[in-house]
Amino acid sequence: KMLSGLSNFDLSTTAMGRRSLASVCLSYITATKNEDSLNLAYNQAVGTGSMTLTIAGLNALNDIDCIQREKGLGNFFQKWQGKPLELDKWFALNASSTLPITFERVSGLVSTPEFDITNPNRVRSLIGTFATNNPINFHGSDGKGYKMLADYVIFLDSMNPQVAARLAIPLTRWRSHTMNRQNLMIKQLQRIINIEKVIKKSLYEIKFKKDRSPILMIVEKDSAQSNDSSQNGIQKRSDTLPSDRYFNIHLHVIHHLGLDVFFWTQSDTT
């Protein structure tokens, strides 16, 4: 009823609000796992001309082990497999599901022709989504999620160090987890550090302070140098390191939520 008479091309705030509210209601209805509600979500996912409502239907089914979910995801893939941005949504849906099969599904999807490890958006949509938006499966007590993430951080470092650096960030948040998970995450951080090619070639380093607190260091090509400032509780400090004949390297230190993140920005002096 909330969607009745609503045009897919209506971008007014009222129309967007109705779609948003309808999507929330759909997620509540499907939580009962009633067959009629599952069919309702499926029909919306495959029968609407709105991408917003399509994704809402798939999201409502995404954590439920049912035929409607598989058919809905299959339909979306067949329809959009030639469109990179839409296909990224499909990968993200697979990676964000809380179902127990998700780790195996993600591991399998990296071997499909549609997954391109050299495409940063594709890497973020699958590996990044799994690590940042799927706490149940990524933080499994066996540590398989941590190992998989570290594998791709190491692999990507040689071809795209900046993507690799950002991909590693979830591992640096080990303080927020149980002792068992802390040890597993630190193990993978140490493994990244100990890979010789990463230490020599990458634009970032993950190191440990004396209290075993990890420090993530990221290099970005950005000529802007920030001034000393404090916003929203985030303390920033900018120092200029000694320059060589090619670059001025500016160090920006951000202290936030117990994590030290060092952003190195480079400006060409030639």
Side-chain angles (χ1 to χ4, degrees), residues 76-78 80-94 113-115 122 125:
F76 189 93
F77 177 81
Q78 291 299 323
W80 298 107
Q81 59 180 315
K83 302 290 185 179
L85 294 180
E86 285 74 13
L87 196 56
D88 284 340
K89 298 179 186 296
W90 181 81
F91 275 102
L93 281 164
N94 279 278
E114 292 75 22
F115 182 78
R122 193 55 47 84
S125 67

Side-chain angles (χ1 to χ4, degrees), residues 32-46:
T32 65
K33 301 182 182 180
N34 176 276
E35 195 71 16
D36 290 339
S37 65
L38 298 179
N39 288 332
L40 178 64
Y42 169 76
N43 290 333
Q44 176 173 305
V46 302

Side-chain angles (χ1 to χ4, degrees), residues 87-121:
L87 196 56
D88 284 340
K89 298 179 186 296
W90 181 81
F91 275 102
L93 281 164
N94 279 278
S96 61
S97 174
T98 60
L99 293 175
I101 63 170
T102 298
F103 177 82
E104 286 72 21
R105 177 71 64 90
V106 171
S107 299
L109 286 176
V110 298
S111 302
T112 60
E114 292 75 22
F115 182 78
D116 181 3
I117 193 68
T118 66
N119 184 330
N121 286 340

Side-chain angles (χ1 to χ4, degrees), residues 151-269:
D151 287 343
Y152 285 101
V153 168
I154 293 167
F155 183 81
L156 283 165
D157 178 70
S158 61
M159 63 179 72
N160 197 328
Q162 292 178 328
V163 171
R166 282 158 182 75
L167 208 61
I169 288 176
L171 290 174
T172 70
R173 296 170 177 157
W174 55 271
R175 287 174 182 255
S176 302
H177 302 282
T178 61
M179 185 59 66
N180 175 58
R181 290 179 174 86
Q182 286 185 19
N183 291 331
L184 291 171
M185 295 171 84
I186 290 172
K187 178 181 178 180
Q188 296 306 321
L189 286 171
Q190 291 171 330
R191 179 171 158 243
I192 293 171
I193 295 168
N194 291 333
I195 299 297
E196 182 177 4
K197 69 173 185 178
V198 172
I199 295 176
K200 287 186 176 181
K201 298 181 180 179
S202 87
L203 294 180
Y204 74 95
E205 296 179 5
I206 299 175
K207 296 183 177 180
F208 291 89
K209 295 188 293 186
K210 291 182 179 180
D211 62 353
R212 301 180 74 200
S213 174
I215 301 176
L216 177 62
M217 309 183 78
I218 304 174
V219 174
E220 293 183 353
K221 290 186 177 180
D222 183 355
S223 60
Q225 180 180 3
S226 65
N227 298 320
D228 291 350
S229 63
S230 175
Q231 296 179 347
N232 301 322
I234 300 177
Q235 303 296 324
K236 297 184 180 180
R237 186 182 76 246
S238 175
D239 300 318
T240 302
L241 301 181
S243 62
D244 56 26
R245 60 179 295 187
Y246 300 107
F247 294 100
N248 284 329
I249 303 178
H250 307 294
L251 177 62
H252 308 278
V253 186
I254 298 177
H255 300 283
H256 186 49
L257 300 179
L259 172 65
D260 292 340
V261 184
F262 293 73
F263 290 88
W264 287 1
T265 60
Q266 301 178 356
S267 57
D268 196 341
T269 61

Side-chain angles (χ1 to χ4, degrees), residues 67-80:
I67 188 63
Q68 290 89 345
R69 175 182 183 271
E70 295 303 318
K71 289 171 61 178
L73 287 172
N75 178 274
F76 189 93
F77 177 81
Q78 291 299 323
K79 186 175 181 179
W80 298 107

